[in-house]
Amino acid sequence: MCRTQLKTMAWIGLCIWVKLGVAMTAKVTKSKPEISTAPLDIPPRVLMGPGPSSAYPRILSSSSLPLLGHMHPEFLTIMDDVKTWLKYSFQTDNKVTLAVSGSGHAAMEAAVANTIEPGDIVIVGVNGIWGQRLVDMCERYGAVVRPIHAKFGRVFSNQDVEAALQANPGTTAVILVHGESSTGTLQPLEGIGQIVRRHGALFILDAVCTLACVPLNVDEQMVDVVYSGSQKCLGAMPGASPLTMGARATAKLRSRKTKVRSYYLDMNLVGNYWGVDEDQPRAYHHTGLITNVYALREALAIVAEEGLEQAWDRHQSQAKALWDGLQKMGLELFVPDAESRLPTVTTVKVPAGVDWKAVSTYVMEKYSLEISGGLGPTAGQVWRIGIMGHNARPGNVAMMLSALEDALKHVKWTGLKPVGKTVVEKTEL
């Protein structure tokens, strides 16, 4: 029977069904929302808060490319490119290197869910909101959490980590935040991996706002698990979040006494979909975020074209230009030690008598430029200025300093030291 005949019979059957008076079981009982159905019209803005950052035009363009099926060979090739370039950005040979389908929080949860079991002792460094959230997340997975605390705006020393491990024998993992964007600190890593490994624990690192912007070598620095986000340093849209797990972490995963509590984030299954085991055929796990993976592929290609060391240097030089300009203006940086200062997200103390929100609002309304307020422990105390990815350019730094100076004049801050035109070192992208 041909397709046309089948369609005709189906239509006749439907008509008979209606004539027999069989009522439909569902009706439209809610009226259409009074919302415009016109195509979206998004105002252009320069996103120089803590993230998301402004995306590279090439990455935005990738979102309009045709969809592929999540198991199509062409899409699997793109996934393979992402794995390869992520290994370069992480500086690792880890087989389990992929992108989690979800925001940076999803990658964070994947790192915890796959390595932590009920009863495991976990040391978490808390010097901002992300350490606080890691404590909460580990507790939700049944861990016995032993937080160590540093004053907001300060980092942890090797001695802090060593002391915590000695006080907690049998620790399963130590988790630190590389770039604490709520307070603006950059955690030094040298020597910590060796200390943690000597005690038989895993070293887990939050690199959400540092990957590809700040020096990081996962293998040489002996980090067992690192997770990040796509919407900050990489200059892509949120939704495909990098994760890498070393051999010690995957051994822990495969020797678990309990199942990974999250099916969606189980790296035994997700890793297979990403083809991390070359001797195993890929199998469907979930529908990959196809356009987000396109975007991440383009972001990682941009990193590779520039070169990782060059990207690190660019972010550091533009951060220094920003810090110098802010201090010349009379503003005080929240992190006093330049070595502990995060290049990608700068925290600036709000001067006494100044309404932080009035400044941020003025800059947004006049310049379509984002400056964010504090978060968690720094709420109401600081502005947070991000220079990540596409925004880490001399023109953007100069624009930020000029707009902020104008806003401080507008709110009549008496401590302002006008600096006029800002001169920053030229960087080619």
Side-chain angles (χ1 to χ4, degrees):
M1 187 177 293
C2 72
R3 186 174 298 175
T4 302
Q5 289 173 313
L6 285 171
K7 286 183 178 179
T8 302
M9 290 181 66
W11 176 248
I12 292 170
L14 177 62
C15 291
I16 293 171
W17 183 74
V18 172
K19 279 184 175 262
L20 287 173
V22 180
M24 295 181 67
T25 57
K27 299 178 181 177
V28 176
T29 59
K30 308 294 182 186
S31 57
K32 286 191 293 185
E34 295 298 322
I35 300 172
S36 172
T37 58
L40 282 174
D41 182 20
I42 305 299
R45 287 177 178 165
V46 181
L47 303 180
M48 294 186 70
S53 62
S54 298
Y56 288 91
R58 169 178 170 179
I59 295 171
L60 291 174
S61 296
S62 72
S63 295
S64 64
L65 294 172
L67 280 178
L68 290 169
H70 56 280
M71 296 297 289
H72 286 185
E74 298 89 347
F75 184 62
L76 299 182
T77 298
I78 294 170
M79 293 171 74
D80 289 341
D81 287 348
V82 167
K83 286 189 300 181
T84 300
W85 275 329
L86 275 176
K87 288 178 181 180
Y88 170 67
S89 292
F90 277 124
Q91 289 292 284
T92 187
D93 292 321
N94 290 343
K95 289 175 66 176
V96 181
T97 301
L98 48 78
V100 176
S101 293
S103 69
H105 275 82
M108 177 194 292
E109 187 149 353
V112 172
N114 286 274
T115 58
I116 306 303
E117 295 188 77
D120 284 350
I121 299 172
V122 180
I123 295 168
V124 178
V126 179
N127 60 345
I129 194 171
W130 303 115
Q132 292 171 345
R133 290 198 180 179
L134 280 161
V135 169
D136 185 356
M137 195 172 287
C138 289
E139 288 176 343
R140 289 168 185 260
Y141 281 89
V144 178
V145 181
R146 304 293 190 215
I148 55 175
H149 296 272
K151 184 179 178 182
F152 300 134
R154 301 295 196 276
V155 295
F156 298 97
S157 68
N158 290 16
Q159 291 74 22
D160 293 331
V161 176
E162 177 72 53
L165 284 162
Q166 289 184 2
N168 295 281
T171 292
T172 295
V174 174
I175 310 180
L176 296 177
V177 178
H178 194 204
E180 179 49 86
S181 61
S182 69
T183 57
T185 54
L186 176 66
Q187 174 62 46
L189 300 179
E190 295 307 319
I192 291 180
Q194 290 91 328
I195 293 169
V196 174
R197 193 161 292 190
R198 190 169 66 245
H199 286 266
L202 298 175
F203 183 19
I204 302 174
L205 189 69
D206 178 317
V208 170
C209 66
T210 56
L211 179 66
C213 287
V214 176
L216 172 65
N217 188 308
V218 170
D219 288 356
E220 286 193 0
Q221 292 173 313
M222 297 186 182
V223 191
D224 296 295
V225 183
V226 187
Y227 60 88
S228 189
S230 55
Q231 76 279 15
K232 300 203 177 195
C233 293
L234 294 173
M237 295 75 81
S241 299
L243 173 74
T244 187
M245 299 178 67
R248 297 174 74 245
T250 54
K252 172 70 165 70
L253 169 62
R254 293 190 174 124
S255 64
R256 291 175 63 100
K257 301 179 185 67
T258 59
K259 270 189 174 184
V260 176
R261 289 190 177 185
S262 169
Y263 178 88
Y264 186 65
L265 299 174
D266 186 342
M267 287 302 122
N268 291 305
L269 306 174
V270 177
N272 175 263
Y273 173 46
W274 275 84
V276 300
D277 293 314
E278 295 177 0
D279 57 339
Q280 296 291 327
R282 274 176 153 132
Y284 165 75
H285 173 257
H286 68 282
T287 301
L289 305 185
I290 296 161
T291 53
N292 291 88
V293 174
Y294 293 173
L296 182 57
R297 186 266 182 203
E298 294 298 87
L300 294 167
I302 290 169
V303 172
E305 285 177 350
E306 181 180 8
L308 197 53
E309 287 186 347
Q310 289 78 9
W312 294 344
D313 290 345
R314 172 167 59 88
H315 284 84
Q316 185 62 41
S317 67
Q318 297 311 306
K320 186 178 183 304
L322 177 67
W323 299 339
D324 290 347
L326 292 167
Q327 289 171 320
K328 287 176 183 176
M329 212 180 290
L331 292 165
E332 185 179 355
L333 302 181
F334 185 74
V335 180
D337 177 20
E339 293 298 316
S340 303
R341 205 175 288 152
L342 180 59
T344 54
V345 180
T346 294
T347 43
V348 188
K349 288 185 179 180
V350 177
V354 172
D355 179 352
W356 75 267
K357 192 168 183 61
V359 170
S360 295
T361 300
Y362 179 85
V363 169
M364 176 61 78
E365 290 180 351
K366 183 171 180 179
Y367 296 97
S368 293
L369 176 64
E370 181 186 35
I371 300 176
S372 295
L375 179 66
T378 60
Q381 301 178 46
V382 303
W383 292 295
R384 293 184 298 154
I385 301 173
I387 47 169
M388 294 177 276
H390 191 51
N391 287 333
R393 299 182 292 169
N396 285 47
V397 173
M399 176 174 58
M400 171 59 71
L401 290 171
S402 177
L404 185 54
E405 181 179 339
D406 183 29
L408 291 169
K409 288 177 183 175
H410 175 74
V411 299
K412 298 179 171 54
W413 177 45
T414 57
L416 178 63
K417 299 176 182 176
V419 294
K421 186 176 180 181
T422 304
V423 178
V424 292
E425 179 185 349
K426 183 178 180 183
T427 300
E428 296 295 338
L429 280 181

